[in-house]
Amino acid sequence: FQFYIVFPIILLFSLKYFKRYTHLIILFLLLASFYATFLGINEYPNATYYFLTTRFWEFLSGSIVGIVFFQNKKKFNNKLFNTIILTLSICILSYIIFFINKIFLSSLTVLIFTILSTCLFIFFAPKKNYFGKIILSKYLSLVGLISVSLYLWHYPIFVFTRISGFAEGQLLKKIFVGLVFIIVAVISYRLIENSNKIFSAKKMVSSLIVVLVTNYLIVFNGGFINRFANKIYNIPAEPIYNLLGQNNKKCFGRINNFCNFNKKSVKKI
């Protein structure tokens, strides 16, 4: 989500003061973020997945596709070529989704093919062909419109559902929770994202001040730890599995150089 805050600011700043070099700035940001991913994906996969610096190039790739598309609307209108590229991208994405082992999903090679195939699909699909008609249909377009709200709402709803145990082992309740967060996302899109009334300068500044002050108070007071029972204080700050290590490296989340705690055993974790 930070990308949607940071990138528009960078883009507006570069267009105002460095308009001639905007494309170079975007390219530099993409390459720098990709290099950070290259350095950290094997040794620090969790941090690489969550940090903005290492995920920036993925989102930026989509932005570049949008820029190139709108600057070249009349180009790439060869139906046969578009269909071939679309079919190829769909085959690659399908193979990654259904046949790649979960262990290797976070590898850099798979990530590159995923991003590249997705970009090709987005760029060549909005054409007057079979695939273009499908993804530009009314219902799939709605999914795209509410995608940000879906992304923002699914995590808190799913987390509280898991903590409460509301839907544990019950398929119908899981389906109900899924429907709830979709409905919440639609409402959020209609009332917040698609409303011009809330985007006045005063309201945005006021909201930003409230968020900053709230975050400061939480951090300054140590997360208001006194709201918990005394027994909770003894829980380790990090999960136990995250404390296991070997050769000065954490075991959890590693892909290469697996930990081996039993010299006689062939099994590794």
Side-chain angles (χ1 to χ4, degrees):
F1 180 68
Q2 298 95 321
F3 174 83
Y4 300 106
I5 298 175
V6 175
F7 180 64
I9 295 174
I10 295 174
L11 185 61
L12 289 173
F13 183 82
S14 61
L15 286 173
K16 185 173 182 179
Y17 298 103
F18 306 101
K19 190 172 183 179
R20 292 178 56 186
Y21 304 102
T22 300
H23 290 83
L24 290 176
I25 292 172
I26 293 175
L27 180 62
F28 171 78
L29 291 173
L30 185 143
L31 294 176
S33 176
F34 178 80
Y35 184 65
T37 302
F38 172 77
L39 293 177
I41 195 167
N42 290 324
E43 297 298 330
Y44 310 100
N46 292 330
T48 302
Y49 179 80
Y50 287 107
F51 282 6
L52 174 63
T53 50
T54 48
R55 296 295 301 276
F56 201 84
W57 72 275
E58 299 177 30
F59 294 96
L60 194 57
S61 299
S63 300
I64 292 173
V65 168
I67 293 171
V68 175
F69 175 76
F70 285 107
Q71 289 181 347
N72 300 274
K73 285 185 177 180
K74 295 183 179 180
K75 297 181 181 180
F76 307 106
N77 286 324
N78 188 304
K79 291 184 178 180
L80 177 62
F81 179 75
N82 292 345
T83 303
I84 292 173
I85 296 297
L86 278 172
T87 305
L88 181 62
S89 62
I90 290 172
C91 289
I92 294 173
L93 290 172
S94 300
Y95 181 80
I96 291 172
I97 292 170
F98 295 109
F99 297 104
I100 296 294
N101 191 299
K102 289 183 178 181
I103 296 176
F104 299 103
L105 278 177
S106 58
S107 69
L108 187 60
T109 303
V110 174
L111 189 58
I112 291 172
F113 274 104
T114 303
I115 300 299
L116 182 61
S117 300
T118 303
C119 288
L120 290 174
F121 181 83
I122 294 172
F123 184 80
F124 288 100
K127 310 291 179 182
K128 295 180 179 179
N129 54 32
Y130 180 75
F131 294 112
K133 290 178 181 178
I134 292 176
I135 70 166
L136 291 176
S137 63
K138 180 179 179 181
Y139 298 105
L140 284 182
S141 296
L142 177 61
V143 173
L145 290 172
I146 67 172
S147 60
V148 174
S149 291
L150 282 172
Y151 176 76
L152 293 177
W153 282 110
H154 88 281
Y155 192 76
I157 291 176
F158 283 174
V159 166
F160 283 111
T161 301
R162 184 186 63 195
I163 294 173
S164 65
F166 171 75
E168 187 173 353
Q170 300 186 50
L171 180 60
L172 289 178
K173 286 188 176 180
K174 290 180 180 179
I175 294 174
F176 172 75
V177 171
L179 291 174
V180 166
F181 98 80
I182 291 174
I183 292 171
V184 171
V186 172
I187 295 173
S188 176
Y189 168 73
R190 296 290 186 186
L191 297 181
I192 300 176
E193 290 187 63
N194 202 32
S195 175
N196 294 326
K197 295 179 181 180
I198 67 166
F199 289 108
S200 65
K202 290 183 179 179
K203 290 181 179 180
M204 292 185 71
V205 172
S206 301
S207 300
L208 181 61
I209 292 173
V210 171
V211 171
L212 291 175
V213 171
T214 303
N215 279 274
Y216 173 78
L217 291 174
I218 292 172
V219 173
F220 182 78
N221 290 280
F224 294 102
I225 196 169
N226 292 328
R227 73 187 190 277
F228 294 115
N230 292 331
K231 293 182 179 179
I232 300 180
Y233 294 164
N234 297 322
I235 297 177
E238 288 190 84
I240 298 299
Y241 59 77
N242 214 15
L243 299 177
L244 296 175
Q246 194 175 57
N247 299 327
N248 297 320
K249 296 178 182 178
K250 291 181 179 179
C251 291
F252 180 71
R254 282 166 60 182
I255 296 175
N256 296 331
N257 303 320
F258 296 103
C259 293
N260 186 359
F261 296 102
N262 186 352
K263 295 181 179 180
K264 296 180 181 180
S265 175
V266 180
K267 297 181 179 179
K268 298 181 180 181
I269 62 170

